[in-house]
Amino acid sequence: MSEKILILGACGQIGQELTQKLRIIYGNNNVIASDIRERTTNMSLSGPFEIIDATDKASILAVIEKYRITQVYLLAAMLSVTSEQQPLKAWDLNMNSLLAVLNLAKEKQIQQVYWPSSIAVFGPTTPKKNTPQDTLMAPSTIYGISKVAGEFWCNYYHEKYGVDVRSIRYPGIVSWKSKPGGGTTDYAVDIYFEAIQKKSYQCFLSKNTRLPMMYMDDAIRATLELMDSPIESIGKSRPGYNVSGLSFTAQELVDAIKDKVDGFTCNFFPDIRQKYADSWPDSIDDSFAKEDWSWKAKYDLNRIVDSMLDNLSD
Ligand code: NAD
């Protein structure tokens, strides 16, 4: 059967690009973008759009029935920084949207669910280097707590009700088409905009902070490869696969940009976000994703810097 796809939270950093990619693959009219806010301009002409609050199960069901949806990608969420500002609101959005969609899958209204987890499931007590798939997960942020709980809910709905829900623990995502929405890794996107506009940047993390990152093209490809994998190849990591792109420190990123932008300077003034970054891994072991669905990242730091600067300078 051909897929009919609904994306919840489609106007965000990942949703805009995922919508475009899915529309190329499945056809514009088979991919319904939705968000709680009005669509962004680059979505306006390319296919159907609905306003949906992702915590409102009845509204989601109405759209599922209207378009005969088979798959839901749930991207609506509050990210790490905004979640710390409004922890209860973050818990409400991040959990109730997931439970609404999982229950719709349990009730057989849809066949497949994608829900992103995050490296924020890890905490200060997790091994930092080459963090394994299965390890200590005791996050110190409400965002991380909601992602760990979400992974357990996904596993529970799969084990108990046979729901085909799949997930990736994204690292920080670097992209140029849209700006990030309130995460700790946002510096690794903002820095390019300021390097081009002002030739200087004030970084909110310390220069030696090393974090796992991934270019948007790799993140979208990972998502689609996981969703396309035969169900037999998806192992026990389905509620949240580790995927690795690359890892770099803030200073290493600055040096790579300096090589391409004459006169670029960066100062480091760590703020509260340093604490969240310090609780996360330096690098990720993604051997399960490699084994189960042949995952391999394509973008290294030089390629990302070239692509970001080229696209933003146009
Ligand atoms: P984003 O903040 O850029 O976009 C989220 C979108 O959800 C926004 O368009 C917002 O309007 C929408 N939204 C908010 N409340 C809603 C509601 N009640 N109903 C419907 N829509 C609502 O986020 P993103 O960066 O695109 O992240 C998407 C997913 O990927 C999230 O689950 C996030 O936790 C996860 N993730 C992102 C990153 C990253 O670096 N961007 C890293 C790890 C995990």
Side-chain angles (χ1 to χ4, degrees), residues 11-14 35 37 52-54 75 117 143 147 170-171 173:
C11 293
Q13 186 195 9
I14 297 173
D35 204 284
R37 58 186 161 118
I52 303 178
D53 177 348
L75 304 179
S117 185
Y143 177 63
K147 292 295 186 188
Y170 290 135
I173 309 282

Side-chain angles (χ1 to χ4, degrees), residues 5 38 51 68 72 77-78 100 108 112 119 123 139 145 170 184 198 209 231 242 247 253 256 274 286 288 298 303 311:
I5 297 169
E38 278 300 333
I51 296 279
R68 297 173 184 271
V72 170
M78 276 171 76
K108 310 280 183 234
Q112 218 184 5
I119 57 160
I145 294 169
Y170 290 135
T184 303
K198 301 183 192 160
T209 306
I231 198 156
N242 275 8
S247 286
L253 175 57
Q274 184 67 45
D286 59 359
F288 284 56
K298 289 187 179 165
R303 203 170 160 205
N311 282 300

Side-chain angles (χ1 to χ4, degrees), residues 158-302:
H158 172 67
E159 294 288 324
K160 190 152 184 178
Y161 307 118
V163 169
D164 184 3
V165 51
R166 304 178 185 197
S167 176
I168 285 173
R169 291 172 182 156
Y170 290 135
I173 309 282
V174 179
S175 69
W176 57 271
K177 284 188 190 158
S178 53
K179 284 200 159 189
T184 303
T185 51
D186 290 8
Y187 93 88
V189 175
D190 295 340
I191 193 168
Y192 294 95
F193 286 83
E194 306 243 335
I196 288 169
Q197 283 160 17
K198 301 183 192 160
K199 292 208 174 209
S200 68
Y201 182 64
Q202 190 165 306
C203 184
F204 57 75
L205 297 182
S206 69
K207 62 182 174 185
N208 294 323
T209 306
R210 180 179 294 282
L211 285 169
M213 300 276 184
M214 182 174 277
Y215 200 47
M216 181 65 86
D217 299 42
D218 273 341
I220 300 282
R221 192 167 51 77
T223 306
L224 300 181
E225 286 177 5
L226 173 63
M227 288 298 274
D228 280 349
S229 295
I231 198 156
E232 316 78 65
S233 63
I234 306 298
K236 283 195 171 354
S237 316
R238 66 160 53 242
Y241 271 97
N242 275 8
V243 290
S244 180
L246 72 165
S247 286
F248 50 81
T249 64
Q251 184 66 57
E252 285 165 356
L253 175 57
V254 169
D255 291 343
I257 295 175
K258 272 184 177 168
D259 283 346
K260 325 250 163 163
V261 178
D262 280 346
F264 175 63
T265 57
C266 181
N267 295 309
F268 299 89
F269 294 100
D271 64 18
I272 183 68
R273 290 169 276 194
Q274 184 67 45
K275 198 172 152 216
Y276 315 148
D278 287 343
S279 74
W280 294 346
D282 287 0
S283 56
I284 297 288
D285 172 7
D286 59 359
S287 41
F288 284 56
K290 283 181 178 138
E291 274 166 37
D292 289 359
W293 42 280
S294 310
W295 164 246
K296 192 173 181 344
K298 289 187 179 165
Y299 281 80
D300 63 13
L301 184 55
N302 266 330

